[in-house]
Amino acid sequence: MRKELKILSVLGLCLSGQFAFSQIKGSVQEVDGEPSIGAKVEIKGTNTFTRTDDEGNFELSTGKVGDVLVITNLEEESEEVVAKEELAFKFSKKVKNKKEKELDEVVVLGFGRIRDAKDVVGSASVVKGSDISNAPVASFDKALAGRVSGLAVSSSTGQPGGLAQIRLRGITSVNGNNNPIYIIDGVRISSGNLSTDRNESTSDPSTNVLATINPNDIESYTVLKDAAATSLYGADAGAGVIVITTKKGKKGKPKFTVDLERGFGRRAVKDPQPITPGTWNKVFIESVKNKRNVTEQEAIDYINGLASNGTTLALWDGKTPVTDWTKLVERDYTSQNSLNIGVTGGSDKIRYASSLNYFSQEGIVRTTDFDRVGGRLATDYTATDRLTIRTDINASYTKQNSVLNGGYFSNPLLTKYFILPTDNAKNPDGSYNLGNGRMFNGMFNSAYLLENNYNTTKTARVFANIQGEYKIFNNLKYIINFAPEYINIERDRYDNPIHGDGANVNGRMINQRMRYFNWNVQNILNYFFKVGENHHFDARIIQEAYKKDYKYLYTSNTTVGRLGLYSTDNFVKNEGTSGNGYVATRNAYAANLSYDYGKKYFVDGTIRREALNNFNSDNKWGTFWSVGAAYDISNENFLAGTFVDLLKIKASYGELGNQLLYDDINSFSLYAYDINYNDSAGGYIYQLGYNDFTWEKIRQFDVGFETVFFNNRMNFAASYFHKKTKDLVFPKAISLTTGFASVTANAGDMVNQGVELDLGGTIIKSDTPDGFNWYLSGNFTYVKNEVTDLPLGESVKTVNITQKGKAVSSWYMRKWAGVNPATGEAQWYINGKDGEVTTEYNKAQRAIQGVPYPKYMAGLSTDLSYKGISLSATFSGSFGHKIYDGWRNYTTSDGQYIHVYGGYEEQGDFWTPDNPNASNPKPVFTNSSQSNNDSTRFLYDGDFVRLRDLTLGYTFSKSVLDDIGLTNLKIYLRATNIWTYCFDSQTRHLKIEPEQNMNGGGSNFDQPILKTFTVGVNVGF
């Protein structure tokens, strides 16, 4: 090692001699004495500048004593000073307006790359951590909705701590991954739902491991979009990268912050009304009349006969009280609380940032909730003038109580629609009605199950980042990162022995254990230098290794001695035990070179070679790359002194990889020995290999421009992107004589192309700090998806199709033509589009009827302030897509299931000769017309606008704070999701939640999204 360092030192001396380096060192402080982080230090009259680090220190390699320096902080306050040795500068001006859009905003690109926003060649968007730090959601990803162009965020489940779907610039893959990767302070972390093994068939609601992270610890989010911005992340960057920068310690005396928030929540959108007993009588009687062609009394007599032999329940007598299942299984109001305590401080040698946090939130379903407790300690130690050591340790523990979703008979959100309205939850004596093991129609009494079952997930996560930075010589530094991550997940499901899924086996306990041990190592060599007056270079060489070690254990045991016993050893019969694991590894080498000429012309190039252990030797290594260029026209002389502060055009192109959907997917032939063959291990071929299988590749082209004008008060940016995914992952059919139906192969191409627009500006700017200020920003995105090559043929999954020339997972079904006003029969268009209609379901053709993900997205944010009062709001909207109520074949069955399942109250609007324009056909008992089968009858426009966030706050003045000994005091009222407008009249009428699964398939009786109201206080001292 010493030999290598000597060689590098000699090289450095040679280079120093060749380019004649000199240097100015110093520090910059804000007016309050705090370090000025990210301040720009520029030699006046040149384009030579640098930025201060986390401690406010800087080094300017080409300056000399006597030069005039222009120092500009992130609030756009500039002052001049004459350079001298070991300069110590402190701003003398107070910040006038912190809401103004910053021209010199710092963009963190990862691997040590920090750029001025105006110097970034790639496409990236920055969201301040303070904008969403106190958002009343368990995970930060949900709070990004509406804030970034090109980013679609869907919270398809309101389960506290549940998963959000994130799609950046469209759908990246058909059967592969579509989620971006997450980077915290330069290293990768786990994301997504890690709580269920992919080989286990379950309908458990998702647990989001990102919910273990405290949003209040985050300084900023940078969303990297195009190849130039993401290519250093190589094989996994195709779906985008979100870079997170956490809060760091600052030099100075300890500063404490306390953030406390409490509030309540309700459904953001009221759900469809369950059928009332009076409407059930009406529909049931009419359906029997139409089926048997009898009078109303004859129909009633027939139903009574069915009830006497157990085929249905008796009609409601109009007097007997009935159960309100909604009130029984759902909360009217949910509660939530959060507490964050932080401290930062430090000296010349060591800086620190530490925090403790607690967060709790209830779900709409009784017994469901999410709790998190966590802590963080980050230190920054300047060991010598050359060596800096940084550590960041984050530990958290979460507990989530949930319920099964989908078609599980124990799903309480299913109960109110599937239970008959006269089937009461409790007996006259107040005890629960458990039927003969089940309710009349086979359902379970979900109210009883909520009190006597549980489904709990506990997650412990410890993440550390240890970094060493050594300045080998002037402008050359070496950085090493080591980041271990340990995640332990315990999921326990208890089914009581009296009623429900556990009754037939005298109780059941299911235990699942998932353990992840991951580590990431990076070695980075960074060299930046200048040739002449205008040629600036920033080069880095990177080696990275990543390993994921996963273990999974599952056991299901039955037969418990009595109620109240929950430990596994009390369940004496083993129903099943399984376990598996894998080790996923990767190794990569990368290089990046950034060049600019006089801060006018910019070029950026990246290449990365990466190997995954998932592929055989022929396909193990892949090459990923990008090249980008930009031209800042505003630095031309002809624009000097004009209203244009920035006018930059840019373009990039490159090829990235897309991470595999699961880390254990591979191209190898595998054997398994998990069969007990007469007490011997039985072996068999578990997987048939396919040597040509490799990762999906994304070729992305991006071109656009950015402009800032009117003295940095207005900004506008536009981009066009063309994102082509090659070698799509598909199951390839093979001869059944092999013992397998298919192998995993690469076959097909897909394109996402579209436009992004961003506009923002300070509409009103006061000359005084307490004056009226108004900042407004908005974004718009258009994305078109098309499958351009599909050699294995179209793929149909129930109501979705993937077809060449069309969008991925397009809705594929018959087109509803309404109710025949003369006969009351259901009608469909024969060709699936328009024209001639038919009353025979099977004569109508299926056709593409839209897509499940938005084509257009928009966001709007506004900030107003006056004399300590602040008001901010964020709206988001999604348009051009369809949402599907896939359960309506049961809940609006036109008489087919009316004797078994209740359904929607909306069934009461059915055709009769006196009501020829009804929304539903005439009901027919045991309806066989297929009128309730899949069709656009239950497909609605998904266009909606939602007020995501509304915050009203008051910050006390400095004079008041001085009297009470505080440095900050703010109180605020915050509301989220309080207003939702759906453009489709049917969606509004039925009260359907528009924010649904973007993968298709329709609604699934998940927990509803909440609207919340909270009051909070921020205290600093």
Side-chain angles (χ1 to χ4, degrees):
M1 181 64 183
R2 292 181 179 177
K3 181 179 179 181
E4 284 81 355
L5 288 176
K6 288 180 180 179
I7 294 173
L8 290 171
S9 299
V10 172
L11 176 61
L13 291 173
C14 295
L15 290 171
S16 298
Q18 180 178 352
F19 298 123
F21 284 113
S22 59
Q23 190 174 53
I24 299 172
K25 295 182 179 180
S27 63
V28 180
Q29 293 181 339
E30 297 289 352
V31 66
D32 59 2
E34 289 298 312
S36 182
I37 300 172
K40 181 178 180 180
V41 182
E42 183 177 21
I43 300 175
K44 187 175 182 179
T46 73
N47 287 313
T48 301
F49 71 91
T50 187
R51 282 195 175 275
T52 57
D53 60 19
D54 291 344
E55 292 80 50
N57 299 320
F58 71 91
E59 296 179 3
L60 196 57
S61 60
T62 57
K64 62 183 183 296
V65 174
D67 284 343
V68 177
L69 303 180
V70 180
I71 303 178
T72 307
N73 64 11
L74 292 180
E75 310 302 339
E76 292 303 316
E77 295 292 333
S78 297
E79 295 188 28
E80 296 183 3
V81 64
V82 176
K84 59 182 180 180
E85 293 182 3
E86 298 298 331
L87 174 68
F89 173 79
K90 182 177 180 180
F91 278 99
S92 61
K93 299 178 182 178
K94 292 184 178 180
V95 176
K96 294 181 179 179
N97 177 24
K98 292 190 176 183
K99 289 295 181 182
E100 187 174 344
K101 184 70 177 178
E102 298 141 352
L103 173 62
D104 288 336
E105 189 176 45
V106 171
V107 178
V108 180
L109 300 174
F111 289 106
R113 295 182 301 163
I114 301 176
R115 299 281 188 272
D116 271 347
K118 68 177 186 179
D119 294 345
V120 175
V121 172
S123 181
S125 295
V126 177
V127 178
K128 293 180 180 178
S130 58
D131 290 344
I132 60 177
S133 59
N134 291 311
V137 291
S139 58
F140 63 81
D141 48 353
K142 295 181 179 181
L144 293 173
R147 298 183 182 273
V148 178
S149 61
L151 190 72
V153 180
S154 177
S155 301
S156 55
T157 174
Q159 167 65 45
L163 199 65
Q165 288 182 309
I166 309 290
R167 301 289 182 265
L168 183 59
R169 290 185 165 183
I171 305 298
T172 303
S173 177
V174 179
N175 298 302
N177 172 72
N178 281 294
N179 299 307
I181 60 174
Y182 294 84
I183 308 297
I184 288 188
D185 294 329
V187 295
R188 181 172 174 174
I189 61 166
S190 297
S191 60
N193 178 18
L194 306 182
S195 64
T196 301
D197 184 77
R198 72 181 181 95
N199 296 313
E200 295 294 332
S201 177
T202 180
S203 190
D204 288 347
S206 60
T207 298
N208 186 1
V209 73
L210 292 178
T212 61
I213 298 173
N214 178 22
N216 280 57
D217 288 333
I218 296 175
E219 186 73 32
S220 68
Y221 307 85
T222 305
V223 181
L224 309 183
K225 304 176 183 180
D226 70 337
T230 62
S231 56
L232 266 181
Y233 296 98
D236 288 353
V241 180
I242 297 180
V243 177
I244 298 168
T245 303
T246 58
K247 296 176 180 178
K248 302 296 190 295
K250 301 177 181 180
K251 178 182 175 181
K253 64 181 182 179
K255 280 193 169 185
F256 292 87
T257 59
V258 178
D259 298 326
L260 177 65
E261 188 172 277
R262 300 195 67 177
F264 66 91
R266 302 197 70 180
R267 283 178 174 267
V269 175
K270 293 182 179 180
D271 56 337
Q273 182 182 352
I275 196 168
T276 57
T279 300
W280 180 67
N281 282 5
K282 173 185 171 183
V283 177
F284 201 171
I285 293 170
E286 188 69 18
S287 67
V288 171
K289 285 172 58 181
N290 291 329
K291 173 74 172 183
R292 301 179 61 81
N293 194 23
V294 295
T295 65
E296 181 171 322
Q297 186 57 51
E298 289 173 325
I300 293 173
D301 293 339
Y302 179 76
I303 293 171
N304 289 334
L306 293 177
S308 64
N309 65 27
T311 303
T312 188
L313 294 180
L315 295 170
W316 185 50
D317 61 10
K319 298 178 294 182
T320 303
V322 295
T323 298
D324 186 340
W325 284 94
T326 299
K327 288 188 175 296
L328 198 62
V329 303
E330 298 181 17
R331 297 181 172 107
D332 290 329
Y333 297 93
T334 67
S335 68
Q336 62 182 68
N337 304 276
S338 68
L339 173 64
N340 290 275
I341 302 174
V343 58
T344 61
S347 63
D348 291 333
K349 278 288 188 179
I350 188 168
R351 281 75 55 199
Y352 58 86
S354 182
S355 68
L356 294 173
N357 71 89
Y358 172 73
F359 177 88
S360 69
Q361 184 179 52
E362 292 180 333
I364 281 292
V365 175
R366 299 182 188 275
T367 75
T368 64
D369 53 39
F370 175 85
D371 292 274
R372 178 184 66 228
V373 61
R376 173 176 178 259
L377 175 61
T379 62
D380 197 328
Y381 173 55
T382 304
T384 69
D385 290 340
R386 293 179 178 270
L387 177 63
T388 301
I389 299 172
R390 301 181 180 93
T391 61
D392 193 337
I393 300 174
N394 191 315
S396 60
Y397 176 80
T398 66
K399 180 180 179 181
Q400 180 192 60
N401 289 305
S402 56
V403 292
L404 300 182
N405 63 357
Y408 276 73
F409 279 3
S410 58
N411 179 3
L413 295 173
L414 183 87
T415 302
K416 62 183 177 182
Y417 298 119
F418 275 64
I419 208 79
L420 288 179
T422 57
D423 206 357
N424 283 327
K426 294 187 177 182
N427 300 311
D429 62 0
S431 62
Y432 276 107
N433 171 23
L434 305 182
N436 294 317
R438 292 175 180 258
M439 306 296 279
F440 156 73
N441 60 0
M443 297 284 295
F444 297 135
N445 188 324
S446 58
Y448 177 87
L449 296 184
L450 286 177
E451 291 187 8
N452 294 277
N453 289 358
Y454 66 79
N455 190 14
T456 301
T457 303
K458 302 174 182 178
T459 303
R461 179 180 179 271
V462 179
F463 170 75
N465 187 0
I466 304 167
Q467 182 187 93
E469 179 179 315
Y470 186 78
K471 296 180 181 178
I472 300 173
F473 57 80
N474 194 26
N475 295 349
L476 178 65
K477 61 183 178 181
Y478 166 70
I479 301 171
I480 181 170
N481 285 317
F482 174 64
E485 179 183 40
Y486 179 83
I487 302 171
N488 187 75
I489 302 173
E490 299 179 359
R491 166 163 280 183
D492 298 315
R493 172 182 161 188
Y494 169 73
D495 295 331
N496 78 85
I498 304 301
H499 182 68
D501 290 318
N504 290 336
V505 291
N506 199 25
R508 175 184 287 114
M509 174 62 75
I510 297 176
N511 306 113
Q512 293 172 283
R513 300 294 181 262
M514 286 69 65
R515 192 272 291 155
Y516 296 82
F517 178 63
N518 314 321
W519 55 259
N520 189 191
V521 174
Q522 298 172 354
N523 292 279
I524 305 171
L525 194 63
N526 178 214
Y527 181 52
F528 53 96
F529 59 95
K530 177 181 177 181
V531 179
E533 289 297 320
N534 295 310
H535 301 279
H536 304 93
F537 297 85
D538 186 350
R540 68 197 64 236
I541 299 173
I542 301 165
Q543 184 273 328
E544 182 178 27
Y546 183 84
K547 180 178 181 179
K548 176 181 288 186
D549 189 332
Y550 167 74
K551 292 291 187 294
Y552 172 77
L553 180 64
Y554 170 95
T555 180
S556 177
N557 296 281
T558 63
T559 311
V560 66
R562 66 176 179 85
L563 290 173
L565 300 176
Y566 304 111
S567 60
T568 301
D569 56 359
N570 289 302
F571 293 77
V572 298
K573 290 179 64 176
N574 180 260
E575 190 177 41
T577 300
S578 64
N580 58 61
Y582 62 80
V583 174
T585 61
R586 65 181 61 221
N587 188 27
Y589 301 90
N592 170 257
L593 177 64
S594 298
Y595 164 80
D596 76 81
Y597 177 80
K599 297 299 177 181
K600 185 186 299 183
Y601 306 103
F602 300 84
V603 178
D604 188 280
T606 297
I607 187 168
R608 176 169 170 135
R609 285 279 289 169
E610 188 159 2
L612 270 65
N613 70 338
N614 306 71
F615 308 122
N616 64 40
S617 56
D618 292 336
N619 293 315
K620 187 177 294 291
W621 286 91
T623 302
F624 308 98
W625 57 273
S626 73
V627 61
Y631 173 32
D632 187 352
I633 306 173
S634 60
N635 280 333
E636 295 287 1
N637 292 332
F638 61 81
L639 285 178
T642 67
F643 66 91
V644 178
D645 303 303
L646 172 69
L647 179 57
K648 179 177 68 175
I649 58 174
K650 59 182 182 178
S652 66
Y653 183 73
E655 181 172 282
L656 314 169
N658 188 34
Q659 63 177 324
L660 297 171
L661 186 60
Y662 302 106
D663 287 300
D664 60 340
I665 294 176
N666 58 72
S667 63
F668 305 112
S669 293
L670 302 176
Y671 294 86
Y673 295 89
D674 56 5
I675 296 176
N676 186 329
Y677 184 75
N678 196 23
D679 288 339
S680 296
Y684 62 99
I685 300 176
Y686 174 76
Q687 174 178 291
L688 196 63
Y690 190 70
N691 291 335
D692 293 333
F693 176 58
T694 184
W695 43 58
E696 298 173 325
K697 301 175 184 65
I698 291 86
R699 293 179 179 174
Q700 189 159 339
F701 170 71
D702 194 275
V703 63
F705 69 89
E706 302 172 13
T707 182
V708 180
F709 39 91
F710 299 138
N711 195 26
N712 303 330
R713 289 189 57 173
M714 302 292 290
N715 63 280
F716 177 66
S719 294
Y720 165 78
F721 61 88
H722 186 278
K723 179 178 171 183
K724 183 173 184 177
T725 305
K726 295 180 61 65
D727 299 327
L728 289 167
V729 173
F730 274 98
K732 181 180 180 180
I734 58 176
S735 173
L736 293 176
T737 59
T738 63
F740 295 86
S742 64
V743 294
T744 303
N746 302 100
D749 300 338
M750 176 176 65
V751 169
N752 290 280
Q753 58 180 320
V755 174
E756 294 176 351
L757 303 176
D758 291 274
L759 176 65
T762 303
I763 309 301
I764 299 176
K765 179 181 178 182
S766 173
D767 292 331
T768 62
D770 293 333
F772 182 69
N773 297 283
W774 178 20
Y775 179 75
L776 184 68
S777 65
N779 62 76
F780 171 81
T781 306
Y782 164 70
V783 182
K784 179 185 178 182
N785 177 274
E786 181 183 352
V787 177
T788 55
D789 186 31
L790 205 59
L792 300 182
E794 64 187 28
S795 172
V796 179
K797 295 180 179 178
T798 314
V799 292
N800 298 99
I801 187 172
T802 297
Q803 188 181 77
K804 183 178 179 180
K806 303 296 182 181
V808 170
S809 298
S810 296
W811 293 117
Y812 186 60
M813 59 188 69
R814 292 163 176 84
K815 186 173 182 181
W816 177 251
V819 178
N820 187 315
T823 65
E825 293 180 288
Q827 300 179 131
W828 302 268
Y829 289 102
I830 293 177
N831 64 2
K833 299 177 182 178
D834 51 26
E836 189 177 355
V837 301
T838 179
T839 57
E840 295 184 43
Y841 182 81
N842 291 324
K843 284 188 177 181
Q845 299 177 9
R846 289 194 290 178
I848 290 176
Q849 309 291 354
V851 295
Y853 38 84
K855 293 181 180 178
Y856 307 94
M857 297 174 290
L860 179 68
S861 296
T862 185
D863 294 272
L864 301 97
S865 63
Y866 178 70
K867 292 187 179 295
I869 301 172
S870 61
L871 177 67
S872 64
T874 299
F875 296 82
S876 71
S878 298
F879 312 93
H881 64 298
K882 305 281 187 178
I883 57 176
Y884 186 61
D885 189 349
W887 289 97
R888 280 198 66 184
N889 60 319
Y890 292 102
T891 59
T892 310
S893 68
D894 302 327
Q896 182 176 1
Y897 302 115
I898 194 64
H899 61 299
V900 181
Y901 304 130
Y904 289 174
E905 172 72 7
E906 188 261 348
Q907 292 177 95
D909 181 25
F910 55 79
W911 181 94
T912 65
D914 296 329
N915 187 25
N917 297 316
S919 59
N920 299 307
K922 63 180 180 182
V924 178
F925 183 53
T926 64
N927 168 39
S928 60
S929 70
Q930 299 179 280
S931 60
N932 55 325
N933 280 15
D934 296 327
S935 76
T936 59
R937 178 185 178 188
F938 309 135
L939 187 71
Y940 317 111
D941 287 338
D943 302 351
F944 75 97
V945 174
R946 174 163 278 169
L947 177 54
R948 295 283 182 180
D949 187 276
L950 180 66
T951 303
L952 175 65
Y954 179 75
T955 302
F956 288 83
S957 65
K958 188 177 185 301
S959 60
V960 174
L961 297 177
D962 289 341
D963 291 339
I964 58 178
L966 298 178
T967 58
N968 178 61
L969 178 59
K970 177 182 179 179
I971 57 175
Y972 62 90
L973 300 172
R974 188 166 198 165
T976 62
N977 300 329
I978 60 171
W979 177 74
T980 303
Y981 181 78
C982 299
F983 290 83
D984 190 305
S985 58
Q986 283 187 289
T987 308
R988 294 198 304 272
H989 171 68
L990 291 172
K991 300 179 178 64
I992 294 176
E993 169 58 55
E995 199 167 332
Q996 293 192 7
N997 191 326
M998 289 188 288
N999 294 331
S1003 59
N1004 202 30
F1005 290 120
D1006 289 295
Q1007 286 224 53
I1009 295 171
L1010 298 175
K1011 60 180 175 183
T1012 62
F1013 302 86
T1014 57
V1015 57
V1017 58
N1018 305 139
V1019 181
F1021 55 92

